[in-house]
Structure formats: structure tokens, C-alpha cells
Amino acid sequence: MHTSLSTAFVLLMTGCLSACQPAGDSVAPVASPSATPAVSYRLIKAQTNHPIPTTVDYSYSPAGWLATSRSAPDADGIWKQQAPTMQYSYDGGRQLTGTEGTIVYRDAAGNETSRVRSHYGLFTNRNGRPAAYRLFVNAGSQLERLFEERQYEHDAAGRVSEETYVHYDESPTIGPLKTRYLISYTGDDVTAIDMTMTTQGRLVSTTRTVFEYDDKANPYYGLAVPELLPQQRYSRHNVTKQTITAGTSPANVLTYKLTYADNGTLSRWECSDGRYQTFAYEPF
């Protein structure tokens, strides 16, 4: 699966308790205490060591919608100086309608020297749900070209049940690479993905991945980032185990150690293959 930038938008509710005692000998009953306001959190930073150490920062609009994400490798070098920023736009129904990426060039001291629009994407929504997404690259000083197309299908419950990606940035001798994900759910989580990859009608590979979860909130759930994996974007809970089967090869089983902060948010996961990711939040 292709990933790059890899949570729900929630409100911090506040309240107060007031009691009234009218004059005289009688005392009016005091109202029952209000429930303690629930504090919810939204993701503002994710750090990972795979495939290279990278930090992704998220920011939100005053209305609580994801506004930008910025992905920056932690190591020094050219990619550090060209960290891309993605902006997200929505319609009145809070459906994602477009993305736009900007690369900011910086000198060795970290000062901005220039910026260029690097890519943009357009969503087609149908009945309040995503139907298609087209991603264009080299849209700055160079001629733009179509890099990727995505199609989405939904089940009777309105969940994304199929995603088909066509990647055009492949070797001309291979041709466009088409990847189809069939997504199965149990309750609120993606529990299986059947992936088929083809090029020019030829089968490249097939895999089946089965997921297991805990019962804690997934920080990526509902986050408007098209590049997130289906189990990240569409599952309410966090993966604890995944079993990957490809053809007749032995199954590859990955387990995850999850660490939670005192406030209940996921602070870190560690995979049995050596990958890890850490998270930071803000109350909202």
C-alpha cells in the first residue's frame, strides 16, 4: 500500500454549576452536579522511524476541520529543506473537495528561500460520500501530469468497501499500476483487506491482511488525509495484530505493543518488525 502523510474532530465541552437559595427560612433544593466535562483530543504530531525518521504536523481551522499537514524527515539534507505542506479544502457539508501541496525551500539555516506548488488533488463526492480522487503533480513551473486516480465504493452502511488506485508514475515498460482493495468490517473496524495488484491486465500480486484491535480510540480515525491506509482512516480502534497472507507463502504475522497516556490517548505503538510511531495531541 502507498502511504505518505498518514482523527476525528471533537469539541471540548465546558459547563458550570449554579445553586440558588431564595431569601427566608426555606432552602430550595440544589440542582444535581453536572457531569464532568469530557475533554477530547485531536492529533497534532506523529513521528515515525519508517521508511525514514519523519515528523508530520497537523493544524486545524477555527471550525475544527483539518487545515494543513506538514511532513518533514528528521535527518538533515535536501528533503529536510523541502518539507511539503498539504492544505485541505471542503464543501459546506464538510466533505473533502481538494488538496494542494506546497514545497518550501530553505537554506542550511532553515530560512525560507522560495516555495512552489508541487501537486494538487480534486475530489468528486456523491451523496455526501467520496466517489473519486485525481492527483496531479509537477503543477508549478513544470507541465502538470496525472499521477494517480482513485475510485471509492460504499456498502449499505455508507462505509468505504472498495478502493481502486491507478498509479501512472511507473516505468513505461511496466505501465500504470492498478491496486484494488476490498475492505471488510466487523463492527467499527476494518478487519480484512484483500488486495489485488495488476498492470496492463497482468496479475502482479494478491494479498489478504486480517486485523485485530483493542478498544481504544484511533487517533487517525476520520482524518481527511487520502493517503492514509484504510485500517487507519476507517477504523475507530487501534490495530494490535495483523496477519498478511500472499499466495502460498507462509503468513507474516505482525504484533503491536500499544502505550497509552494517562488521558487515554495513544502515545506510541511498536511493531514486531521494528517500526514505531509516537503521537502528540491538543485538547479541543
Side-chain angles (χ1 to χ4, degrees), residues 192-230:
I193 297 176
D194 291 284
M195 185 190 76
T196 303
M197 188 178 296
T198 59
T199 181
Q200 297 181 345
R202 301 191 306 270
L203 179 65
V204 176
S205 65
T206 61
T207 61
R208 177 175 175 82
T209 305
V210 177
F211 303 92
E212 296 179 20
Y213 296 83
D214 65 7
D215 59 353
K216 304 295 193 300
N218 166 22
Y220 287 121
Y221 175 70
L223 203 64
V225 180
E227 294 81 9
L228 286 175
L229 296 171

Short mmCIF file of all heavy atoms in Angstrom, two decimals, residues 192-230:
data_model
loop_
_atom_site.label_atom_id
_atom_site.label_comp_id
_atom_site.label_asym_id
_atom_site.label_seq_id
_atom_site.Cartn_x
_atom_site.Cartn_y
_atom_site.Cartn_z
N ALA A 192 -10.46 -6.93 7.52
CA ALA A 192 -9.76 -7.66 6.45
C ALA A 192 -9.67 -6.78 5.21
O ALA A 192 -10.59 -6.01 4.91
CB ALA A 192 -10.46 -8.97 6.12
N ILE A 193 -8.54 -6.87 4.53
CA ILE A 193 -8.35 -6.19 3.25
C ILE A 193 -7.78 -7.21 2.27
O ILE A 193 -6.73 -7.81 2.52
CB ILE A 193 -7.38 -5.00 3.37
CG1 ILE A 193 -7.95 -3.93 4.31
CG2 ILE A 193 -7.11 -4.39 2.00
CD1 ILE A 193 -7.01 -2.76 4.55
N ASP A 194 -8.48 -7.40 1.15
CA ASP A 194 -8.00 -8.24 0.06
C ASP A 194 -7.48 -7.32 -1.04
O ASP A 194 -8.25 -6.55 -1.62
CB ASP A 194 -9.10 -9.14 -0.46
CG ASP A 194 -9.50 -10.21 0.55
OD1 ASP A 194 -8.73 -11.16 0.70
OD2 ASP A 194 -10.55 -10.05 1.20
N MET A 195 -6.18 -7.40 -1.31
CA MET A 195 -5.55 -6.51 -2.27
C MET A 195 -5.14 -7.29 -3.52
O MET A 195 -4.55 -8.37 -3.44
CB MET A 195 -4.31 -5.85 -1.66
CG MET A 195 -3.67 -4.82 -2.59
SD MET A 195 -2.06 -4.26 -1.99
CE MET A 195 -1.04 -5.68 -2.41
N THR A 196 -5.47 -6.72 -4.68
CA THR A 196 -5.05 -7.27 -5.96
C THR A 196 -4.33 -6.19 -6.74
O THR A 196 -4.86 -5.10 -6.92
CB THR A 196 -6.25 -7.78 -6.77
OG1 THR A 196 -6.96 -8.75 -6.01
CG2 THR A 196 -5.79 -8.41 -8.08
N MET A 197 -3.12 -6.49 -7.22
CA MET A 197 -2.33 -5.53 -7.97
C MET A 197 -2.11 -6.06 -9.38
O MET A 197 -1.70 -7.21 -9.57
CB MET A 197 -0.98 -5.30 -7.28
CG MET A 197 -0.16 -4.16 -7.87
SD MET A 197 1.39 -3.91 -6.95
CE MET A 197 0.73 -3.42 -5.35
N THR A 198 -2.43 -5.22 -10.38
CA THR A 198 -2.28 -5.62 -11.77
C THR A 198 -1.63 -4.49 -12.56
O THR A 198 -1.64 -3.33 -12.14
CB THR A 198 -3.64 -5.95 -12.42
OG1 THR A 198 -4.50 -4.80 -12.34
CG2 THR A 198 -4.32 -7.12 -11.73
N THR A 199 -1.08 -4.82 -13.72
CA THR A 199 -0.58 -3.82 -14.66
C THR A 199 -0.84 -4.31 -16.07
O THR A 199 -0.52 -5.45 -16.41
CB THR A 199 0.92 -3.53 -14.45
OG1 THR A 199 1.34 -2.53 -15.39
CG2 THR A 199 1.76 -4.77 -14.62
N GLN A 200 -1.49 -3.47 -16.85
CA GLN A 200 -1.84 -3.80 -18.23
C GLN A 200 -2.54 -5.16 -18.32
O GLN A 200 -2.30 -5.95 -19.22
CB GLN A 200 -0.59 -3.79 -19.12
CG GLN A 200 0.07 -2.42 -19.19
CD GLN A 200 1.29 -2.39 -20.08
OE1 GLN A 200 1.85 -3.43 -20.43
NE2 GLN A 200 1.72 -1.20 -20.45
N GLY A 201 -3.41 -5.42 -17.34
CA GLY A 201 -4.19 -6.65 -17.34
C GLY A 201 -3.46 -7.86 -16.80
O GLY A 201 -4.05 -8.94 -16.68
N ARG A 202 -2.19 -7.72 -16.43
CA ARG A 202 -1.41 -8.84 -15.91
C ARG A 202 -1.41 -8.79 -14.38
O ARG A 202 -1.21 -7.73 -13.78
CB ARG A 202 0.03 -8.80 -16.41
CG ARG A 202 0.17 -8.84 -17.92
CD ARG A 202 1.63 -9.07 -18.32
NE ARG A 202 2.52 -8.08 -17.69
CZ ARG A 202 2.83 -6.91 -18.24
NH1 ARG A 202 2.29 -6.56 -19.41
NH2 ARG A 202 3.66 -6.09 -17.63
N LEU A 203 -1.62 -9.94 -13.76
CA LEU A 203 -1.61 -10.01 -12.31
C LEU A 203 -0.19 -9.88 -11.78
O LEU A 203 0.71 -10.59 -12.21
CB LEU A 203 -2.22 -11.34 -11.86
CG LEU A 203 -2.28 -11.58 -10.34
CD1 LEU A 203 -3.22 -10.57 -9.68
CD2 LEU A 203 -2.74 -13.00 -10.05
N VAL A 204 -0.01 -8.97 -10.83
CA VAL A 204 1.29 -8.76 -10.20
C VAL A 204 1.34 -9.48 -8.85
O VAL A 204 2.29 -10.22 -8.57
CB VAL A 204 1.58 -7.26 -10.01
CG1 VAL A 204 2.91 -7.06 -9.26
CG2 VAL A 204 1.63 -6.55 -11.36
N SER A 205 0.32 -9.28 -8.02
CA SER A 205 0.32 -9.92 -6.71
C SER A 205 -1.07 -9.85 -6.10
O SER A 205 -1.90 -9.01 -6.48
CB SER A 205 1.33 -9.26 -5.77
OG SER A 205 0.95 -7.92 -5.50
N THR A 206 -1.31 -10.74 -5.15
CA THR A 206 -2.53 -10.71 -4.33
C THR A 206 -2.13 -10.94 -2.88
O THR A 206 -1.26 -11.77 -2.61
CB THR A 206 -3.55 -11.77 -4.76
OG1 THR A 206 -2.96 -13.07 -4.61
CG2 THR A 206 -3.99 -11.57 -6.20
N THR A 207 -2.75 -10.22 -1.98
CA THR A 207 -2.50 -10.43 -0.55
C THR A 207 -3.81 -10.26 0.21
O THR A 207 -4.72 -9.55 -0.24
CB THR A 207 -1.48 -9.42 0.02
OG1 THR A 207 -1.99 -8.09 -0.13
CG2 THR A 207 -0.14 -9.54 -0.67
N ARG A 208 -3.89 -10.93 1.34
CA ARG A 208 -5.00 -10.76 2.26
C ARG A 208 -4.43 -10.42 3.63
O ARG A 208 -3.54 -11.12 4.13
CB ARG A 208 -5.86 -12.03 2.35
CG ARG A 208 -7.00 -11.92 3.36
CD ARG A 208 -7.90 -13.15 3.34
NE ARG A 208 -8.91 -13.11 4.38
CZ ARG A 208 -10.06 -12.45 4.29
NH1 ARG A 208 -10.34 -11.75 3.19
NH2 ARG A 208 -10.95 -12.47 5.27
N THR A 209 -4.92 -9.33 4.21
CA THR A 209 -4.47 -8.90 5.53
C THR A 209 -5.64 -8.89 6.48
O THR A 209 -6.68 -8.29 6.18
CB THR A 209 -3.84 -7.51 5.47
OG1 THR A 209 -2.79 -7.50 4.49
CG2 THR A 209 -3.25 -7.13 6.82
N VAL A 210 -5.49 -9.57 7.61
CA VAL A 210 -6.54 -9.64 8.63
C VAL A 210 -6.03 -8.88 9.86
O VAL A 210 -4.88 -9.05 10.28
CB VAL A 210 -6.86 -11.10 8.99
CG1 VAL A 210 -7.89 -11.17 10.12
CG2 VAL A 210 -7.38 -11.83 7.75
N PHE A 211 -6.91 -8.06 10.44
CA PHE A 211 -6.52 -7.19 11.54
C PHE A 211 -7.26 -7.55 12.83
O PHE A 211 -8.42 -7.96 12.79
CB PHE A 211 -6.83 -5.72 11.21
CG PHE A 211 -6.18 -5.23 9.95
CD1 PHE A 211 -6.84 -5.30 8.73
CD2 PHE A 211 -4.90 -4.69 9.98
CE1 PHE A 211 -6.25 -4.85 7.57
CE2 PHE A 211 -4.30 -4.24 8.83
CZ PHE A 211 -4.97 -4.31 7.61
N GLU A 212 -6.57 -7.35 13.95
CA GLU A 212 -7.19 -7.42 15.27
C GLU A 212 -6.96 -6.09 15.98
O GLU A 212 -5.96 -5.40 15.72
CB GLU A 212 -6.60 -8.56 16.09
CG GLU A 212 -6.87 -9.94 15.48
CD GLU A 212 -6.26 -11.06 16.30
OE1 GLU A 212 -5.98 -10.83 17.50
OE2 GLU A 212 -6.05 -12.15 15.74
N TYR A 213 -7.88 -5.72 16.90
CA TYR A 213 -7.87 -4.39 17.51
C TYR A 213 -8.05 -4.46 19.02
O TYR A 213 -8.54 -5.45 19.56
CB TYR A 213 -9.01 -3.54 16.94
CG TYR A 213 -8.90 -3.26 15.46
CD1 TYR A 213 -9.33 -4.18 14.52
CD2 TYR A 213 -8.35 -2.06 15.00
CE1 TYR A 213 -9.24 -3.93 13.16
CE2 TYR A 213 -8.25 -1.79 13.65
CZ TYR A 213 -8.69 -2.73 12.74
OH TYR A 213 -8.59 -2.48 11.39
N ASP A 214 -7.68 -3.34 19.67
CA ASP A 214 -8.08 -3.15 21.06
C ASP A 214 -9.37 -2.34 21.06
O ASP A 214 -10.05 -2.25 20.02
CB ASP A 214 -6.97 -2.48 21.87
CG ASP A 214 -6.65 -1.06 21.42
OD1 ASP A 214 -7.38 -0.52 20.56
OD2 ASP A 214 -5.68 -0.48 21.94
N ASP A 215 -9.73 -1.74 22.19
CA ASP A 215 -10.98 -0.98 22.27
C ASP A 215 -10.73 0.50 22.53
O ASP A 215 -11.60 1.21 23.01
CB ASP A 215 -11.90 -1.55 23.36
CG ASP A 215 -11.24 -1.52 24.74
OD1 ASP A 215 -10.04 -1.18 24.83
OD2 ASP A 215 -11.94 -1.84 25.73
N LYS A 216 -9.53 1.00 22.17
CA LYS A 216 -9.17 2.39 22.43
C LYS A 216 -9.26 3.22 21.14
O LYS A 216 -9.16 2.69 20.03
CB LYS A 216 -7.76 2.48 23.01
CG LYS A 216 -7.55 1.66 24.27
CD LYS A 216 -8.40 2.19 25.42
CE LYS A 216 -7.97 1.58 26.76
NZ LYS A 216 -8.07 0.11 26.81
N ALA A 217 -9.40 4.54 21.30
CA ALA A 217 -9.63 5.44 20.17
C ALA A 217 -8.40 5.54 19.26
O ALA A 217 -7.28 5.77 19.72
CB ALA A 217 -10.01 6.83 20.69
N ASN A 218 -8.63 5.37 17.98
CA ASN A 218 -7.61 5.51 16.94
C ASN A 218 -7.43 6.99 16.60
O ASN A 218 -8.38 7.64 16.17
CB ASN A 218 -8.05 4.71 15.71
CG ASN A 218 -7.24 5.04 14.47
OD1 ASN A 218 -6.13 5.54 14.54
ND2 ASN A 218 -7.82 4.75 13.31
N PRO A 219 -6.23 7.56 16.75
CA PRO A 219 -6.05 9.00 16.51
C PRO A 219 -6.24 9.41 15.06
O PRO A 219 -6.48 10.59 14.77
CB PRO A 219 -4.61 9.26 16.97
CG PRO A 219 -3.94 7.92 16.89
CD PRO A 219 -4.99 6.92 17.24
N TYR A 220 -6.15 8.46 14.12
CA TYR A 220 -6.30 8.79 12.70
C TYR A 220 -7.75 8.68 12.21
O TYR A 220 -8.05 9.10 11.09
CB TYR A 220 -5.45 7.85 11.84
CG TYR A 220 -3.97 8.13 11.90
CD1 TYR A 220 -3.09 7.13 12.32
CD2 TYR A 220 -3.45 9.35 11.52
CE1 TYR A 220 -1.72 7.37 12.36
CE2 TYR A 220 -2.09 9.60 11.55
CZ TYR A 220 -1.23 8.61 11.97
OH TYR A 220 0.12 8.84 12.01
N TYR A 221 -8.63 8.11 13.01
CA TYR A 221 -9.98 7.83 12.53
C TYR A 221 -10.66 9.11 12.05
O TYR A 221 -10.75 10.11 12.77
CB TYR A 221 -10.83 7.20 13.63
CG TYR A 221 -12.27 6.99 13.23
CD1 TYR A 221 -12.61 6.03 12.29
CD2 TYR A 221 -13.29 7.78 13.77
CE1 TYR A 221 -13.92 5.84 11.90
CE2 TYR A 221 -14.60 7.60 13.39
CZ TYR A 221 -14.91 6.62 12.45
OH TYR A 221 -16.23 6.44 12.06
N GLY A 222 -11.15 9.09 10.80
CA GLY A 222 -11.87 10.22 10.24
C GLY A 222 -11.01 11.36 9.76
O GLY A 222 -11.54 12.36 9.25
N LEU A 223 -9.69 11.27 9.89
CA LEU A 223 -8.82 12.35 9.46
C LEU A 223 -8.83 12.45 7.93
O LEU A 223 -8.68 11.45 7.24
CB LEU A 223 -7.39 12.10 9.96
CG LEU A 223 -6.48 13.31 10.09
CD1 LEU A 223 -7.02 14.28 11.12
CD2 LEU A 223 -5.07 12.88 10.47
N ALA A 224 -9.00 13.65 7.42
CA ALA A 224 -9.18 13.84 5.98
C ALA A 224 -7.84 13.84 5.25
O ALA A 224 -7.42 14.83 4.66
CB ALA A 224 -9.92 15.15 5.72
N VAL A 225 -7.17 12.70 5.27
CA VAL A 225 -5.90 12.54 4.58
C VAL A 225 -6.02 11.36 3.63
O VAL A 225 -6.02 10.21 4.07
CB VAL A 225 -4.74 12.32 5.57
CG1 VAL A 225 -3.42 12.16 4.83
CG2 VAL A 225 -4.66 13.47 6.57
N PRO A 226 -6.16 11.60 2.32
CA PRO A 226 -6.42 10.49 1.38
C PRO A 226 -5.35 9.41 1.40
O PRO A 226 -5.64 8.26 1.10
CB PRO A 226 -6.46 11.20 0.02
CG PRO A 226 -6.79 12.62 0.32
CD PRO A 226 -6.15 12.90 1.65
N GLU A 227 -4.11 9.77 1.75
CA GLU A 227 -3.02 8.81 1.68
C GLU A 227 -2.99 7.81 2.83
O GLU A 227 -2.21 6.85 2.79
CB GLU A 227 -1.68 9.55 1.61
CG GLU A 227 -1.46 10.35 0.34
CD GLU A 227 -2.16 11.70 0.39
OE1 GLU A 227 -2.66 12.09 1.47
OE2 GLU A 227 -2.21 12.37 -0.66
N LEU A 228 -3.79 8.02 3.85
CA LEU A 228 -3.80 7.08 4.97
C LEU A 228 -4.30 5.71 4.53
O LEU A 228 -5.17 5.60 3.66
CB LEU A 228 -4.68 7.60 6.10
CG LEU A 228 -4.14 8.76 6.93
CD1 LEU A 228 -5.18 9.24 7.93
CD2 LEU A 228 -2.86 8.36 7.66
N LEU A 229 -3.77 4.67 5.15
CA LEU A 229 -4.22 3.31 4.85
C LEU A 229 -5.66 3.12 5.33
O LEU A 229 -6.09 3.78 6.29
CB LEU A 229 -3.31 2.30 5.54
CG LEU A 229 -1.86 2.30 5.07
CD1 LEU A 229 -1.03 1.41 5.98
CD2 LEU A 229 -1.76 1.81 3.63
N PRO A 230 -6.42 2.23 4.67
CA PRO A 230 -7.83 2.04 5.07
C PRO A 230 -8.01 1.72 6.55
O PRO A 230 -8.92 2.25 7.19
CB PRO A 230 -8.28 0.88 4.18
CG PRO A 230 -7.42 0.99 2.96
CD PRO A 230 -6.09 1.43 3.47
#
